[in-house]
Amino acid sequence: MTRAQSNVVGVALLLGIAVISMAALTAAVGALVQHNAASADATRVATALDDALEPVETTGQHSDTVRFTSGHLSTVDREIRVLDASGVRATVEVGGLVFEAGDHRVSYVGDAIVRRSGGSAWLHDGPPITATARGDVFVASVARLNASGGGVGGTGETTATVRTRVRHNRTALGTGTFGVAIETATPGPLERWFRERGATVSRRDFDGDGTESVIGRFPGSRTGYLVVHDMHAEVNGG
């Protein structure tokens, strides 16, 4: 009788362990599916923003769509500063767009697109800043989002429409040493981008809002230009 009871208890324990294991496996598979879906959404959004927001190449009206299955696309306050030897030469309130889905994030600031997944971050597209290897020209092309419309997102298939009306304004900065400060919540990729182009890199929170700017200062005396591409963007659902 005791042996029979032991067998029943043993079977019950095995069944319990099997149920727990299946539940853990189901949870793990579900988390993996969610992670892969968020990664796919982030890739789609980064590519779509790259296509929808082309201020350097575009003049006049343009419209495109950004699609994702889950997540949220919203505007953020961001600034880009052009620096010379005396300090801040110009400040442009560029704004930005941020997409978040789980631990995946895509940010658009000043025509630079940065992706983040967990603890890793990388550039999808670099900022349109030119500092020639000969050290004679510096051009800061600054994309100003100038956005209206609220955030878009949620669960289920979502489509955001991005419309722009792009105008360009060029300002001569004279001759001197120049740099650029880009406000960003993901500084690492931009720091690497500046260093790869020979710039001296630092960080500073210019306006005390808690979001630092990555500063890249280029060596040598150059003829400088600031080109502001004002997009007058509208971001709406549908």
Side-chain angles (χ1 to χ4, degrees), residues 74-186:
S74 58
T75 58
V76 292
D77 294 329
R78 294 289 185 266
E79 295 176 336
I80 290 180
R81 293 170 173 82
V82 177
L83 315 174
D84 61 16
S86 300
V88 177
R89 179 68 178 271
T91 300
V92 183
E93 295 181 0
V94 295
L97 283 172
V98 171
F99 170 78
E100 293 181 299
D103 63 350
H104 292 267
R105 188 176 190 272
V106 179
S107 63
Y108 176 98
V109 176
D111 209 31
I113 299 176
V114 179
R115 287 190 58 182
R116 186 177 71 194
S117 176
S120 300
W122 63 96
L123 270 178
H124 178 87
D125 194 24
I129 298 168
T130 301
T132 60
R134 297 190 305 273
D136 54 355
V137 175
F138 167 84
V139 181
S141 289
V142 177
R144 183 170 182 253
L145 195 63
N146 197 4
S148 62
V152 179
T155 57
E157 187 71 30
T158 300
T159 300
T161 301
V162 181
R163 297 182 178 89
T164 58
R165 292 179 291 111
V166 184
R167 297 179 180 177
H168 311 276
N169 182 52
R170 172 174 157 170
T171 302
L173 302 175
T175 302
T177 57
F178 297 100
V180 179
I182 302 175
E183 192 175 29
T184 176
T186 317

Side-chain angles (χ1 to χ4, degrees), residues 34 63 75 82 120 160 172 175 191 201 209 211:
Q34 285 186 329
S63 179
T75 58
V82 177
S120 300
T175 302
E191 288 178 325
V201 178
D209 66 352
T211 302

